[in-house]
Amino acid sequence: MAKYTNKSELEIKARQLLTQRGVGLDDIAELVYYLQAKYHKNLSMDVCRHNVDRVLTKREVQNAILTGIQLDVLAEQKKLEEPLQKTIEIDEGLYGVDEVIALSIVNVYGSIGMTNFGYIDKQKPGILKKLNDKSSGEIHTFLDDIVGAIAAAASSRLAHSDAEDMEEVDI
Ligand code: MG
């Protein structure tokens, strides 16, 4: 397991940003549990947490986190040019680029993730409900999709490793 502790600067930054924006590893692990508990007997939070942790080692995922959160923060600080400022500020429904960035995460583990992503985006359990609460004054237009996508990707990873008879697949 030692190699997992050698985190790149990009990975460290991505993890820090999630924490700073109020999203803990356990919050995402809970979403994975929500998505997968009915398909896996005796699923534990530890297994969910582990799969989220592995998804966060992927460069595509780290880049999506950095890009999305940066845009959320700039929008909060009102530093974007119009009309983009307003679009991101009000989380305009037809914008769609937030979902496209999130899809780069979902795609890392293949198409199983798509179904989970669509489902969790509709249900908005746990941390997703909190991120969507517009009354906070915070802007999470990108982050809510990114967090849902990480949970969906971790669910796919979990499904794949289950197919390998719970043998650890290092993908
Ligand atoms: Mg969004």
Side-chain angles (χ1 to χ4, degrees), residues 91 98-99 140-142 144-145:
D91 198 1
D98 43 351
E99 278 102 10
H140 300 298
T141 298
F142 284 86
D144 67 331
D145 296 289

Side-chain angles (χ1 to χ4, degrees), residues 72 91-92 95-99 121 124 132 134 140-146:
D72 282 346
D91 198 1
E92 209 251 280
Y95 174 54
V97 181
D98 43 351
E99 278 102 10
D121 185 47
K124 299 201 192 309
N132 269 284
K134 306 278 188 285
H140 300 298
T141 298
F142 284 86
L143 186 58
D144 67 331
D145 296 289
I146 286 169

Side-chain angles (χ1 to χ4, degrees), residues 79-148:
K79 285 184 176 163
L80 297 171
E81 284 183 29
E82 294 298 354
L84 189 61
Q85 172 65 38
K86 193 81 198 160
T87 303
I88 295 180
E89 206 177 296
I90 64 169
D91 198 1
E92 209 251 280
L94 294 174
Y95 174 54
V97 181
D98 43 351
E99 278 102 10
V100 173
I101 288 185
L103 286 182
S104 69
I105 294 174
V106 176
N107 288 335
V108 172
Y109 292 100
S111 54
I112 303 178
M114 278 302 290
T115 318
N116 283 325
F117 180 59
Y119 179 71
I120 206 162
D121 185 47
K122 282 231 157 34
Q123 302 293 316
K124 299 201 192 309
I127 185 78
L128 293 182
K129 186 162 186 251
K130 203 172 135 207
L131 291 175
N132 269 284
D133 178 11
K134 306 278 188 285
S135 67
S136 68
E138 293 168 2
I139 294 171
H140 300 298
T141 298
F142 284 86
L143 186 58
D144 67 331
D145 296 289
I146 286 169
V147 168

